[in-house]
């Protein structure tokens, strides 16, 4: 079995999640043969600002998740992306996987935080 995988890695900027999703769509437009595209950890918020992480957190079926789901369906490409998830008043460093039909097949919350980073916040 052969699959075409793309990694959406670019210089992170101080921009809204919707702008990041627009950048993702531009890449999907250029690469229509991808079976899967993988976005960075905390793709929606970026790193470095706990305030931005809190501002841009959402539930797994939030506004940004719905937009990414629509992109997966529109381009028939599975998408794996990282985002700050708020669930039951707790904040998680999560990753969600949408298949090429836009269906969420997995939502993973990071369990093991690296001891060298201050991710416990």
């Amino acid at each position: 079995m052969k699959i075409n995988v793309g990694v959406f890695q670019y210089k992170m900027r101080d921009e809204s999640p919707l702008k990041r999703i627009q950048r993702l769509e531009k890449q999907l437009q250029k690469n229509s043969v991808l079976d899967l595209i993988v976005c960075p950890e905390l793709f929606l918020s970026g790193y470095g600002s706990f305030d931005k992480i809190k501002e841009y957190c959402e539930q797994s079926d939030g506004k940004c998740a719905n937009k990414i789901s629509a992109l997966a369906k529109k381009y028939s490409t599975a998408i794996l992306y990282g985002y700050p998830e708020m669930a039951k008043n707790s904040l998680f460093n999560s990753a969600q996987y949408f298949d090429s039909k836009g269906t969420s097949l997995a939502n993973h919350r990071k369990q093991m935080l690296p001891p060298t980073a201050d991710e416990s916040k």
Side-chain angles (χ1 to χ4, degrees):
M1 177 180 194
K2 188 175 177 180
I3 63 170
N4 292 314
V5 178
V7 176
F8 183 63
Q9 189 70 43
Y10 71 100
K11 185 176 180 181
M12 298 302 273
R13 301 174 182 163
D14 185 16
E15 59 191 4
S16 72
L18 296 179
K19 183 70 173 170
R20 292 169 196 237
I21 293 169
Q22 289 172 345
R23 288 181 184 281
L24 174 60
E25 182 167 21
K26 286 180 185 177
Q27 288 303 309
L28 288 167
Q29 289 169 345
K30 293 178 189 177
N31 298 289
S32 61
V33 297
L34 292 175
D35 299 304
L36 168 66
I37 191 161
V38 179
C39 299
E41 183 176 21
L42 289 178
F43 165 67
L44 291 185
S45 64
Y47 277 98
S49 170
F50 187 60
D51 290 335
K52 293 283 184 192
I53 290 171
K54 287 191 304 186
E55 178 183 352
Y56 297 140
C57 67
E58 67 175 31
Q59 295 181 341
S60 62
D61 60 352
K63 178 173 72 171
C64 292
N66 288 324
K67 290 188 177 301
I68 292 173
S69 169
L71 288 181
K73 185 175 182 179
K74 179 178 180 179
Y75 294 98
S76 297
T77 302
I79 300 173
L80 175 64
Y81 74 103
Y83 73 106
E85 179 185 11
M86 179 59 70
K88 298 181 183 176
N89 294 322
S90 293
L91 184 60
F92 299 95
N93 181 345
S94 297
Q96 185 159 208
Y97 173 78
F98 287 103
D99 70 8
S100 61
K101 295 180 177 131
T103 303
S104 177
L105 296 183
N107 188 67
H108 176 76
R109 295 175 178 159
K110 193 171 187 179
Q111 301 292 312
M112 304 238 355
L113 302 177
T116 58
D118 192 16
E119 290 191 40
S120 60
K121 291 183 180 177

